[in-house]
Amino acid sequence: MYEERIRRPELMSKVMTAAQAARLIKNGMTVGMSGFTRAGDAKAMPLALVERSRSEPLALTLLTGASLGNDSDGMMANAGLVARRMPFQADAALRRKINTGEVMFIDQHLSETAEQLRSGDLKEIDVAVVEAVAITADGGIIPSMSVGNTATFAQQARQVIVEINLSTPLALEGFHDIYLPVARPHRGAIPLLTPWQRMGWTAIPVHPDRIAAIIITDSPDSPSNALPPDEETDAIARHVIRFLEGEVQAGRMGPELRPLQAGIGTIANAVLHGLIDSPFRNMTMYSEVLQDSAIELLDSGQLSMASASSITLSAAMHEKFLRNLESYRERIVLRPQEISNHPEVVRRLGLIALNTALEFDIYGNVNSTHVGGTHMMNGIGGSGDFARNAQLSIFVSKSVAKGGAISSVVPMVPHVDHTEHDVDVLVSEWGLADLRGLAPRERAPLIIEHCAHPDYRPQLRAYLAEALKGGGQTPHVLEQAFDWYGRYKREGSMLVK
């Protein structure tokens, strides 16, 4: 059944069990695994490594594209397999290990990992584990539902283990555009002028001699865990749509808008879903992950095409997508994440970037990674790649968390991922603050009155008034700036009672 997927006959001898292939990975190695936000991840090798770790020491440096599915990150972390991890994760068990210091987590912009591997800033990949649809006659690896960092891992690794997943249809061949920049300093411009342009190969070029093992699997990707839209995310979507309508009326863009980027997760997916009822037509996407909302927009005809590095869908949407692959073939392109997130390309295309904040402060600084300023949630992901370089950088958040005990608008964020210099627009369910062209003293009242929950506005106004007495370009009362977090720890709420 799998023979048609291994088109180079001499590679048939490399087919083996996952347990046999796992013997290629030694203690202390650096391993690159395919997978980007629960899509296209290796399914068999994590389980085989966990089993092997029960009988011998096995601690690895693990690199991926982004988060893995099928609870792989958590299983490997709990087994003590993961000594170091980069560049992104979204697993509760792994998160606990990171926050106790048992796993060293390197939180990176998603555009940087492949670049640092290429330049020798990171240790070389010893073994790459790659999920594939098929292997071509010349040894090329056809990825499945994501590309991520897989192309760089496979080209650099001393040995490549390929997991051919029979649950991925052969019709996925042709969706991918594998383009890798040459090493610096002799690199030219990336020749991408439109989101729909193709530049590279449909498979990852790998010399067949470096394919050390082939594993046959038949396991689907984990479904997206994004929640459906709710009243608050619908309100956020309405604010964003109204704002974009104003941009069109002002002549800053046409009714097709600029190419869209949306971060992973419930809120960003819900905001894009809201565009289905918008007046915009012939839109395009140049993003890192396509969620359900992107497929819905393609189906509605409002989105003409979408470029990304991964497709992460709910179970129902995934089934629909695979049933109708041919209808998406000319409208979806999957690229390496260093291309989907490349600052040069993002700036050239003039994207509208829509990403989610954990919290933001009254001057527009955004924390998207650290709860309470200290405990890692998931990681910065690609939000920084897009925020700094997009034509419009929009961050969205619900105004409160934990039933209102935590305000998402604070005097000063205790951890900064995106500075005020990279943030154009902030949105909550209460309103939108357009920060373009405003000084800090002008930003603060706008954010308080438009984005903060009404229960917290008096406290924020009082803080700002006190801060203004001390003067400064960015007024603060440093002795009080983080009092809200202390109050939450002591009393269970940031709200003054």
Side-chain angles (χ1 to χ4, degrees), residues 115 118-119 182-189:
E115 197 74 273
R118 185 179 296 114
S119 60
V182 301
R184 294 176 292 206
H186 306 294
R187 179 185 302 171

Side-chain angles (χ1 to χ4, degrees), residues 20-293:
Q20 290 170 323
R23 305 302 304 179
L24 297 170
I25 297 176
K26 310 298 184 184
N27 187 41
M29 277 188 169
T30 297
V31 176
M33 283 191 180
S34 67
F36 192 112
T37 315
R38 304 167 69 87
D41 54 305
K43 311 297 194 298
M45 186 53 59
L47 292 171
L49 290 172
V50 168
E51 183 62 30
R52 185 173 152 208
S53 71
R54 292 177 178 145
S55 59
E56 61 181 287
L58 195 60
L60 308 173
T61 294
L62 178 62
L63 283 70
T64 62
S67 54
L68 301 179
N70 295 284
D71 299 320
S72 294
D73 267 326
M75 288 188 296
M76 289 190 287
N78 284 332
L81 273 170
V82 184
R84 304 177 71 81
R85 179 74 167 86
M86 66 177 74
F88 184 88
Q89 56 77 41
D91 182 271
L94 176 56
R95 186 181 303 134
R96 285 192 295 272
K97 297 281 187 177
I98 291 168
N99 287 319
T100 60
E102 296 171 77
V103 173
M104 295 294 104
F105 179 56
I106 298 88
D107 186 22
Q108 283 190 314
H109 297 297
L110 294 188
S111 65
E112 288 188 338
T113 310
E115 197 74 273
Q116 291 187 358
L117 284 167
R118 185 179 296 114
S119 60
D121 297 332
L122 298 175
K123 188 178 178 182
E124 284 189 352
I125 302 292
D126 293 302
V127 178
V129 185
V130 178
E131 180 175 90
V133 171
I135 301 175
T136 67
D138 59 3
I141 299 171
I142 301 169
S144 55
M145 293 287 279
S146 72
V147 181
N149 283 321
T150 304
T152 299
F153 295 161
Q155 288 210 324
Q156 185 182 95
R158 297 182 180 91
Q159 295 180 302
V160 180
I161 299 171
V162 181
E163 290 194 8
I164 293 182
N165 190 341
L166 301 181
S167 77
T168 58
L170 284 166
L172 280 171
E173 184 174 1
F175 275 74
H176 311 90
D177 183 50
I178 310 300
Y179 177 92
L180 296 173
V182 301
R184 294 176 292 206
H186 306 294
R187 179 185 302 171
I190 295 171
L192 185 68
L193 302 179
T194 65
W196 53 85
Q197 186 177 343
R198 292 175 177 267
M199 309 176 291
W201 308 284
T202 58
I204 299 167
V206 176
H207 195 286
D209 289 348
R210 289 195 299 111
I211 298 178
I214 299 173
I215 305 165
I216 309 302
T217 69
D218 192 1
S219 302
D221 287 337
S222 296
S224 166
N225 55 8
L227 300 173
D230 58 27
E231 184 177 343
E232 291 164 328
T233 57
D234 285 345
I236 292 171
R238 289 194 297 271
H239 296 313
V240 172
I241 291 168
R242 193 175 304 118
F243 168 76
L244 294 175
E245 288 174 339
E247 293 297 289
V248 173
Q249 291 168 6
R252 287 188 280 269
M253 58 185 70
E256 72 283 358
L257 304 179
R258 306 296 302 166
L260 300 169
Q261 176 268 332
I264 193 71
T266 296
I267 299 180
N269 184 61
V271 172
L272 278 189
H273 177 84
L275 290 172
I276 293 173
D277 297 321
S278 76
F280 310 120
R281 296 292 182 272
N282 297 316
M283 295 181 288
T284 59
M285 285 193 74
Y286 191 85
S287 195
E288 55 190 358
V289 180
L290 302 184
Q291 299 188 87
D292 284 19
S293 53

Side-chain angles (χ1 to χ4, degrees), residues 461-477:
R461 293 180 192 127
Y463 176 86
L464 178 60
E466 185 67 21
L468 289 169
K469 294 176 184 177
Q473 163 72 2
T474 307
H476 271 301
V477 184

